[in-house]
Amino acid sequence: MTPLIGLPGRRKKGDMIVGNPDILAGFDLDLYYADYARAVLEAGGLPVHIPMDIDAAAIVERLDGILLPGGADIDPQRYGHELDGSVDTEDIRDVFEHELIDGAIALDIPLLGICRGIQMINVHAGGTLHQDVPPHARFDDPTTTLSHEVTFEVATTIGGLYGERREVNSLHHQTIDELGEGLVVSARAPDGTIEAIEATNKPIIAVQWHPEMLPTRSADPVFSWLVESAR
């Protein structure tokens, strides 16, 4: 059986989509960049969209794995901080993805986090974030730009997937501060920034960069890990 990989998205209104008819301006949309789904397909999985209106626990029972994608900042109140650099938060998504992680942990379902996904996994585990780290926000560069190197802990699962070092892109303005309980650091940037984490006793890994937006997407090992672990 082809593993079913759940993929949640962002909640937007119709008037936020360029070219959308005015009559649909007030309607909700759930959306994500198709590169996430393409990466799952290329790794041999079957991506399944998870609408935010569904009961998270009910859908997790039908899935073999989950991919938490990038997107909006997490509300700082979720990790006990005051607003100090976070923008464009989405409370409904924070709540929903928190419940998805609950379900994945309860059922030992493989979970991969990317960008916001790594941050959400860390916050769920009781960790905190740096709310604004401008040097990492390379939003003016093409997504394929290799901005810096990351060095992996070779004894970790992610280190086993990538080896010792890799050049990555950088499309985020927030980073992990205090690490959550039950997590270990798998990779760091030259400035010490945490770039990858994983759970010590659950099938959960996460990276801060965007492997789905690099030319090596179809051969990137995190997507193969997710699909094969789900299988």
Side-chain angles (χ1 to χ4, degrees), residues 21-122:
D22 291 342
I23 196 172
L24 302 177
F27 283 79
D28 292 330
L29 297 97
D30 287 341
L31 70 162
Y32 55 81
Y33 290 101
D35 293 87
Y36 294 108
R38 290 172 182 144
V40 170
L41 285 167
E42 290 162 357
L46 187 63
V48 179
H49 171 61
I50 307 177
M52 286 192 186
D53 298 307
I54 202 167
D55 177 72
I59 189 64
V60 170
E61 291 181 352
R62 302 292 188 93
L63 299 173
D64 302 305
I66 297 173
L67 193 166
L68 294 182
D73 296 343
I74 298 165
D75 188 340
Q77 294 183 73
R78 296 196 72 83
Y79 48 93
H81 286 195
E82 297 295 325
L83 186 67
D84 183 26
S86 293
V87 295
D88 190 28
T89 58
E90 295 180 4
D91 184 62
I92 183 176
R93 184 178 178 188
D94 291 349
V95 172
F96 186 64
E97 291 187 352
H98 186 93
E99 293 172 351
L100 287 177
I101 297 172
D102 281 343
I105 289 174
L107 297 176
D108 278 332
I109 291 175
L111 173 65
L112 168 63
I114 293 177
C115 197
R116 171 193 157 91
I118 189 176
Q119 298 165 10
M120 192 69 215
I121 289 169
N122 187 59

